[in-house]
Amino acid sequence: MSSGFGVFAQEHEAFRATARQIIAREIKPHAAKWDEAEEFPIALYRTLASHGFFGLKYPEEYGGTNAGCLYEAVLTEELAKCGSGGVAAGIGAQMTIATGPINSFG
């Protein structure tokens, strides 16, 4: 289901379906346990990176996919449904805050 704002194309919705499946498989079943234990599995970063989730808006020559900011917005929407605000924030920070300076300054 899309956000209804009309900015997402068919390709974005296909990506949404893929992201939703990955989040349902890799995060949702574990999110409450991670929150309860007050831990964040570092391996989750590697898993999500293997799906290209940390370089959506960056050029391919720097390891990104050059998909664009709307793909990142779709992923952010789906992460919000993962069952843990902390896990979603940890991933979101890596995906947006951490990668920006690396892209800009190496």
Side-chain angles (χ1 to χ4, degrees), residues 26-27 29-45 82-91:
E26 303 290 341
I27 300 173
H30 313 289
K33 177 181 67 176
W34 295 332
D35 278 350
E36 189 175 312
E38 296 181 2
E39 64 184 26
F40 189 98
I42 300 303
L44 183 57
Y45 288 130
C82 80
S84 169
V87 172
I91 296 165

Side-chain angles (χ1 to χ4, degrees), residues 13-99:
E13 296 306 333
F15 176 72
R16 180 185 306 281
T18 299
R20 186 176 292 150
Q21 289 173 349
I22 292 166
I23 291 165
R25 183 180 66 240
E26 303 290 341
I27 300 173
K28 220 170 189 179
H30 313 289
K33 177 181 67 176
W34 295 332
D35 278 350
E36 189 175 312
E38 296 181 2
E39 64 184 26
F40 189 98
I42 300 303
L44 183 57
Y45 288 130
R46 287 185 205 97
T47 298
L48 298 179
S50 74
H51 293 290
F53 287 173
F54 295 135
L56 293 168
K57 64 185 175 187
Y58 302 115
E60 290 181 38
E61 67 249 27
Y62 298 121
T65 61
N66 207 33
C69 292
L70 286 178
Y71 283 87
E72 191 172 89
V74 167
L75 180 57
T76 300
E77 287 183 346
E78 293 307 312
L79 283 169
K81 304 171 195 172
C82 80
S84 169
V87 172
I91 296 165
Q94 180 70 24
M95 176 174 91
T96 59
I97 298 169
T99 59

